[in-house]
Amino acid sequence: MAQRAVWLISHEPGSPLCGTVRFSRRYPTVEKRAKVFNGASYVPVPEDGPFLKALLFELRLLRDDKDFSESRDSCSHINKTSIYALPIGGEELWPVVAFMKNGMIYACVPLVEQTLSPRPPLISISGISQGFELLFGVQGFLYSGQKNDSELNTKLSQLPDLLLQACPFGTLLDANLQNSLDSINFASVTHPQKQPTWKAGTYKGKPQVSISITEKVKSMQYDKQDIADTWQVIGVVTCKCDLEGSMPNVTISLSLPTNGSPLQDILVHPCVTSLDSAILTSSSIDAADDSAFSGPYKFPLTPPLESFNLCYYTSQVPVPPILGFYQVKEEEVQLKITVNLKLHESVKNSFEFCEARIPFYNRGPVTHVEYKVSFGQLEVFREKSLLIWNIGQKFPKSMEISLSGTVTFGAKSHEKQPFDQICIGGTAYLKLHFRILDYTLTGCYADQHSVQVFASGKPKISTYRKLISSDYYIWNSKAPAPVTYGSLSL
């Protein structure tokens, strides 16, 4: 007898989603048992967003939900048991225990210790009765003596610790949560919560949580058959939690779209209190491992006052965002250059800025430039022996642009002209600089509705994303040997 997951959902008819997940708890160890017991009929527990939508649809609580649904409204599907089958991604999650009381929906998914096809009789599933007992216990705890929303929020903030005592690893030990509250002696009940030594003070003001995902993409492109191009994404999630109380609890979830690239090599901030083992074991080193964890990535934490980096990660995306070709041919004091750039069709074609810098080292100053550019503008910095191709904020509809021309140099002066030990002879590169807002190459995002805050007041949740180029080099295809990542900067 165990539960795979538990939810508390407030029904809010006036909101866009008609409801908000106020609390959720999953039990990974029980989920692994479900996968073994259910076999081919196993359906995984979904993320909060899809579960919320499916449950409200099944309970007929969605706004303007007037259309007839055969799976829900036909006479052969009259439900008298508060046990439902939720359509999730072409499959059905069953059994789901759910009922609504005082505007709050209580739901859980019991473990079924056998195959689900055909469905066993309900009376044979002991986890269902345990699920009802747990949900009624939670409901009794929340509304016993509860007078206003502030008291309700306080009790919701206590639930994570209470369920550790009353329902460890998904197995119910005591449905009377007040007993668990008394046994662990909450500081909020007996005396003011003690300020932790690592936290310098407390926040007073309007509650708000800010989450920013920044991904940097590196690339080395050679356009050679015998040398593979390389690229990698490195991400960081930065958070700022302005919440009242000494020890507010927050759960932040990162999600990926269906075709998103899994996050790997994840390092988390010390304030994270627990973590799914699948997140920690997802590594880019083991190339033979095809079972990469693709989320959702949940981070329960007790945030510090200041802004902090919640986690770092890497990811190996299928293709670099911009594919490039660069060729340099030397003719006496002149260089003939050809550049072709192509934006991948899957990448958002909206840049804050995008430019290609083309330096010429170990030569004299630029005295003359003849060029033809299909898109954007070219700036010439003669004394710096540098060309900057300003591409702008969008690629054309063809997604391809080109630059060709001839650069003439004057006499070399070692005192003023740029020198580089690597870029000698035919070894040359161009470096791309770009930034795309509200976009990540992996597809990683933080859903505002999946952020759970266990503190007084309803906080404002803000999320941001951006992709930035970092060490994005395209090397002369005529160069004699490749250059790897190093101390190159421009």
Side-chain angles (χ1 to χ4, degrees):
M1 294 190 298
Q3 305 302 311
R4 296 166 59 185
V6 180
W7 291 269
L8 297 185
I9 300 169
S10 62
H11 180 221
E12 301 169 358
S15 66
L17 297 178
C18 297
T20 301
V21 176
R22 302 294 299 275
F23 173 83
S24 68
R25 169 63 60 85
R26 289 166 175 76
Y27 297 97
T29 55
V30 183
E31 193 67 15
K32 290 182 179 180
R33 292 165 59 195
K35 193 171 184 178
V36 174
F37 283 125
N38 301 159
S41 60
Y42 167 76
V43 177
V45 171
E47 178 58 14
D48 289 348
F51 181 85
L52 171 65
K53 185 176 181 180
L55 181 60
L56 293 181
F57 171 80
E58 192 67 25
L59 297 178
R60 301 176 179 85
L61 296 177
L62 289 176
R63 185 190 303 174
D64 301 327
D65 185 12
K66 300 178 181 179
D67 295 333
F68 176 82
S69 171
E70 175 69 24
S71 63
R72 181 192 65 184
D73 301 324
S74 69
C75 294
S76 61
H77 292 87
I78 297 176
N79 193 306
K80 297 181 179 180
T81 61
S82 296
I83 298 173
Y84 302 90
L86 304 187
I88 304 284
E91 300 177 300
E92 282 193 334
L93 180 65
W94 181 91
V96 177
V97 177
F99 62 87
M100 185 167 71
K101 186 74 172 179
N102 298 326
M104 186 77 75
I105 302 171
Y106 302 81
C108 67
V109 179
L111 172 67
V112 180
E113 298 180 348
Q114 62 188 91
T115 182
L116 300 178
S117 180
R119 290 180 181 174
L122 295 180
I123 196 172
S124 67
I125 305 174
S126 56
I128 290 179
S129 58
Q130 185 196 69
F132 274 112
E133 188 178 4
L134 171 62
L135 296 180
F136 282 129
V138 172
Q139 185 230 332
F141 169 73
L142 291 181
Y143 289 95
S144 60
Q146 184 261 331
K147 299 178 181 179
N148 51 48
D149 289 342
S150 177
E151 292 184 14
L152 177 61
N153 290 332
T154 299
K155 291 189 175 184
L156 284 171
S157 69
Q158 296 171 345
L159 276 182
D161 291 318
L162 285 176
L163 288 186
L164 285 176
Q165 299 286 328
C167 192
F169 301 102
T171 302
L172 183 64
L173 300 181
D174 187 355
N176 188 341
L177 298 191
Q178 188 62 44
N179 291 341
S180 299
L181 180 66
D182 295 338
S183 66
I184 61 179
N185 191 21
F186 266 93
S188 59
V189 175
T190 57
H191 54 80
Q193 197 169 32
K194 185 179 179 181
Q195 183 76 13
T197 55
W198 56 264
K199 200 167 186 179
T202 58
Y203 173 80
K204 295 293 183 182
K206 186 176 181 180
Q208 53 188 354
V209 176
S210 175
I211 306 167
S212 176
I213 303 174
T214 300
E215 288 188 350
K216 293 183 178 181
V217 56
K218 295 184 175 185
S219 181
M220 287 282 186
Q221 299 180 33
Y222 309 102
D223 194 50
K224 292 178 178 290
Q225 293 184 353
D226 57 336
I227 303 171
D229 296 342
T230 60
W231 60 91
Q232 185 185 43
V233 172
I234 299 175
V236 58
V237 181
T238 304
C239 301
K240 181 73 164 68
C241 300
D242 295 328
L243 302 170
E244 293 187 347
S246 299
M247 295 282 284
N249 293 314
V250 180
T251 298
I252 295 175
S253 298
L254 303 181
S255 302
L256 297 174
T258 304
N259 59 343
S261 300
L263 310 185
Q264 299 172 321
D265 307 323
I266 297 176
L267 298 175
V268 300
H269 191 274
C271 72
V272 176
T273 56
S274 63
L275 209 58
D276 191 327
S277 60
I279 295 178
L280 294 175
T281 56
S282 181
S283 171
S284 60
I285 298 177
D286 189 2
D289 184 10
D290 59 354
S291 60
F293 181 62
S294 56
Y297 306 86
K298 285 184 170 292
F299 301 92
L301 57 110
T302 302
L305 288 175
E306 68 278 3
S307 177
F308 64 99
N309 293 328
L310 173 63
C311 69
Y312 298 87
Y313 61 85
T314 67
S315 183
Q316 190 61 54
V317 295
V319 293
I322 299 178
L323 291 169
F325 168 81
Y326 180 39
Q327 190 175 85
V328 180
K329 292 182 179 180
E330 187 167 6
E331 297 180 356
E332 297 180 352
V333 294
Q334 291 184 335
L335 290 180
K336 288 188 175 181
I337 65 171
T338 302
V339 181
N340 296 321
L341 299 177
K342 181 178 181 181
L343 180 68
H344 194 269
E345 59 185 8
S346 66
V347 178
K348 181 180 179 181
N349 189 11
S350 179
F351 295 81
E352 185 178 18
F353 65 85
C354 182
E355 65 181 26
R357 296 191 174 192
I358 309 174
F360 301 100
Y361 292 105
N362 310 319
R363 301 178 186 276
V366 175
T367 59
H368 184 69
V369 178
E370 292 183 3
Y371 67 91
K372 180 180 179 181
V373 62
S374 68
F375 194 80
Q377 297 178 335
L378 187 70
E379 294 182 76
V380 181
F381 295 84
R382 298 181 185 276
E383 293 301 320
K384 295 182 179 180
S385 299
L386 172 67
L387 304 182
I388 297 183
W389 183 9
N390 185 4
I391 298 167
Q393 295 180 324
K394 276 184 178 292
F395 273 62
K397 290 184 179 180
S398 64
M399 300 295 189
E400 297 184 27
I401 57 177
S402 63
L403 165 67
S404 60
T406 302
V407 184
T408 305
F409 299 91
K412 185 185 299 184
S413 173
H414 293 288
E415 295 180 359
K416 296 182 178 180
Q417 300 313 124
F419 172 78
D420 188 274
Q421 294 180 341
I422 296 176
C423 296
I424 298 175
T427 303
Y429 67 84
L430 71 81
K431 185 177 181 182
L432 284 174
H433 297 257
F434 58 83
R435 180 183 296 154
I436 306 177
L437 302 181
D438 195 27
Y439 176 79
T440 53
L441 203 56
T442 61
C444 180
Y445 66 94
D447 186 1
Q448 294 181 356
H449 302 290
S450 67
V451 178
Q452 299 177 358
V453 178
F454 306 103
S456 59
K458 188 174 183 180
K460 176 184 177 182
I461 310 295
S462 302
T463 59
Y464 309 91
R465 299 191 299 170
K466 61 183 174 183
L467 173 69
I468 303 175
S469 64
S470 172
D471 297 336
Y472 204 104
Y473 294 97
I474 300 172
W475 290 89
N476 176 20
S477 62
K478 295 292 185 180
V483 180
T484 57
Y485 292 118
S487 57
L488 294 169
S489 62
L490 180 64

